[in-house]
Amino acid sequence: MTTAPDSRGRPFLLVVGERPEAADVIALYGAVGWGEADDYDEDSVPSALANTLCIVHATDTEGRLIGFARLFGDGIFHTSLAEIVVHPNWQRKGVGTALLAEACELCASTSIFLETFRGQEPFFEACGFYVKSHMVVMSRRRQT
């Protein structure tokens, strides 16, 4: 585990090289409105986290998960930001910016793509991303 130095006097720590606990990730998803605890299989979440190119997470000074960024990619040509999640109590306090900056530094050798909800573009633009007007995001629902 590497904890990024708190050189800016931030009230949180960045953690690289260690996956957060499944229960903590599920609780964070719930806090931001991405489902309830029973929407996720706590035994499957560690596999999802393990099958990720890069995870950076943030904890408060007591070690509680307050945010994380997850990226997928081949490490050579392409990386996609799968998600960046910050607990509502910690939003607009620099956590998301710090997570994204660290993740982008770790994956700097590739192009990084992302999709986001409308209205979030200014955050990503402030972090150095730009809208690619010729690209369209498409999805397909999970087949059951």
Side-chain angles (χ1 to χ4, degrees):
M1 171 177 91
T2 302
T3 303
D6 190 21
S7 62
R8 296 182 182 135
R10 300 182 293 209
F12 59 89
L13 302 172
L14 294 185
V15 182
V16 177
E18 181 180 301
R19 310 278 192 232
E21 295 294 322
D24 295 337
V25 170
I26 293 168
L28 183 59
Y29 281 175
V32 298
W34 289 5
E36 303 296 324
D38 59 351
D39 291 338
Y40 300 98
D41 176 6
E42 192 171 329
D43 294 329
S44 297
V45 171
S47 291
L49 298 175
N51 291 319
T52 301
L53 176 68
C54 172
I55 293 181
V56 178
H57 69 275
T59 65
D60 65 14
T61 56
E62 295 177 17
R64 290 181 294 243
L65 182 68
I66 61 168
F68 79 101
R70 214 164 59 106
L71 296 101
F72 297 116
D74 56 27
I76 299 169
F77 297 114
H78 179 93
T79 302
S80 292
L81 177 67
E83 61 214 337
I84 183 166
V85 186
V86 176
H87 192 282
N89 294 343
W90 285 88
Q91 291 174 3
R92 302 197 183 281
K93 296 182 180 179
V95 177
T97 301
L99 287 167
L100 190 54
E102 184 70 21
C104 287
E105 186 174 319
L106 292 169
C107 298
S109 64
T110 69
S111 295
I112 301 174
F113 296 87
L114 63 87
E115 59 186 70
T116 189
F117 296 108
R118 284 200 201 290
Q120 298 303 313
E121 300 94 340
F123 167 76
F124 290 105
E125 289 170 342
C127 293
F129 287 83
Y130 56 94
V131 175
K132 307 248 328 167
S133 61
H134 62 281
M135 294 184 78
V136 175
V137 174
M138 300 177 75
S139 68
R140 183 180 125 177
R141 293 197 183 273
R142 177 176 72 171
Q143 304 298 302
T144 57

